[in-house]
Amino acid sequence: MAHSHDHSGHDHTRHDHGAGHVHGSTDKKRVLIAACLTGGFMIAEALGGLFTGSLALLADAGHMLADSIALGLAWYAFHLAGRPATGRLTYGFGRVKTLVAYTNGIAIFVIALWIVYEAWGRLQAPVPVLGGPMLVVAILGLVVNIGCFFVLHGGDRESLNMRGAILHVLGDLLGSAAAIVAALVILATGWTPIDPILSVLVSLLILYTAWSLMREAAHVLLEGVPPTLDRDLIARDLETTVPGVREVHHMHVWSLDGTSNMATLHACLGAGVDAYQVVSAVKKRLASEHGISHATVEPEFGQCADNGDDHDHDHGHHAAPHHSHYH
């Protein structure tokens, strides 16, 4: 069968890029502001931690160091995502944001584990802590972190990259709050073990949230079906609602960056139907009902080109020679 190309399906791609570009440009600015605020105060907090002997301050400074690097990476990811696709990177740089989100999660894990290890040593051999200066630095840190949080909070919460950035700053905010509580307890009672104990509690909370971020980012990187979609139900829906479609198989559904959904599928058509019209109808149905912004549909008459496969109950994907491809 001769190649036929449906280019009408590409219009939505340009539309999505336009809508996403508004979010992307504002998110990019938000992340840069937060990176500058975090990086600037991190130095002051690290010096404060060394001066006062507070692990809670050093822990928060450690978080802020990772966060300023992570926020810088997040900014660069937004910067790269705006670049057009190339002959080598045909999907563009959109997935860099997801990769950075995953890397951020790993960085948080490493820092949190270091704090737990350091806290264990402090509990075995307590060190003196200067409560007064510690309280001043911790309060200043809290103010900076609250500012960063509100700058980022107005961004796109659907973006994994943005959520990763918010998670980092939220960890800093909790760290500053813990340092304030620890300083107040030390000033009131002189009981220094509260410093490492609160550091560990904050670290455990951050570990939990970091794990959920990494899991979501890994799902995108592994090209898993987006959690809001059900591939098999979508296939059944196309078979029952699009006239001319007898069967849908070899179906792939994935997300490029956690927000833009894509699909490829084979559509087995009835005899005598207009393939172009059916493929157009499938694309429209996927976009309007299932939020799949880009689809490649391969129409078939009779036997599947991936012959030899029993695909009656198979909606997976096997590499196939290209025939009758509608992009």
Side-chain angles (χ1 to χ4, degrees):
M1 188 187 300
H3 276 330
S4 300
H5 295 275
D6 171 17
H7 291 289
S8 63
H10 284 299
D11 293 343
H12 52 73
T13 313
R14 286 191 292 270
H15 172 74
D16 282 352
H17 176 74
H21 185 68
V22 176
H23 267 310
S25 60
T26 56
D27 287 351
K28 184 177 168 182
K29 289 173 188 171
R30 290 173 186 277
V31 167
L32 184 60
I33 292 168
C36 293
L37 285 172
T38 304
F41 191 76
M42 175 270 299
I43 298 168
E45 192 162 42
L47 292 172
L50 291 170
F51 174 70
T52 61
S54 167
L55 178 62
L57 282 183
L58 281 174
D60 200 35
H63 276 299
M64 291 186 88
L65 171 63
D67 293 351
S68 55
I69 294 169
L71 289 166
L73 282 172
W75 173 84
Y76 188 60
F78 279 121
H79 176 69
L80 278 181
R83 290 188 183 178
T86 68
R88 298 286 293 170
L89 292 166
T90 56
Y91 279 125
F93 295 83
R95 192 162 277 185
V96 172
K97 294 182 289 185
T98 308
L99 191 59
V100 167
Y102 186 78
T103 309
N104 280 351
I106 294 174
I108 297 169
F109 248 83
V110 171
I111 290 169
L113 289 174
W114 173 80
I115 291 166
V116 171
Y117 171 78
E118 189 68 21
W120 177 253
R122 290 281 183 104
L123 287 170
Q124 302 298 310
V127 297
V129 179
L130 301 176
M134 175 186 173
L135 181 62
V136 172
V137 176
I139 289 171
L140 288 173
L142 184 67
V143 171
V144 171
N145 288 321
I146 288 172
C148 290
F149 181 76
F150 279 109
V151 166
L152 293 175
H153 194 66
D156 180 14
R157 251 77 56 81
E158 293 296 307
S159 165
L160 277 176
N161 191 33
M162 201 63 182
R163 284 169 57 193
I166 291 170
L167 174 59
H168 271 285
V169 172
L170 192 60
D172 287 339
L173 207 153
L174 289 170
S176 294
I180 290 171
V181 171
L184 290 172
V185 169
I186 290 166
L187 284 172
T189 67
W191 192 57
T192 55
I194 187 67
D195 183 50
I197 287 170
L198 286 179
S199 299
V200 170
L201 287 175
V202 171
S203 294
L204 291 176
L205 183 61
I206 293 168
L207 279 172
Y208 174 77
T209 47
W211 173 250
S212 64
L213 174 72
M214 286 172 65
R215 190 174 56 199
E216 286 186 52
H219 188 75
V220 173
L221 293 172
L222 290 170
E223 300 194 335
V225 177
T228 56
L229 301 177
D230 185 318
R231 181 196 61 179
D232 294 340
L233 284 179
I234 294 170
R236 298 288 77 78
D237 174 66
L238 293 174
E239 289 171 356
T240 55
T241 61
V242 180
V245 176
R246 290 197 297 108
E247 183 197 3
V248 171
H249 56 270
H250 291 352
M251 187 172 187
H252 250 338
V253 180
W254 75 101
S255 176
L256 193 61
D257 56 5
T259 56
S260 176
N261 299 327
M262 313 182 85
T264 60
L265 60 96
H266 291 197
C268 189
L269 309 183
V273 303
D274 185 323
Y276 174 85
Q277 286 188 348
V278 174
V279 169
S280 295
V282 167
K283 285 172 175 284
K284 285 171 185 168
R285 181 77 183 174
L286 288 172
S288 63
E289 296 299 319
H290 303 291
I292 295 174
S293 58
H294 182 87
T296 301
V297 180
E298 186 169 342
E300 296 169 349
F301 293 90
Q303 191 176 3
C304 177
D306 298 350
N307 52 17
D309 291 323
D310 177 16
H311 58 257
D312 288 342
H313 302 287
D314 172 25
H315 296 280
H317 178 82
H318 300 276
H322 292 294
H323 73 293
S324 305
H325 240 103
Y326 287 70
H327 298 287

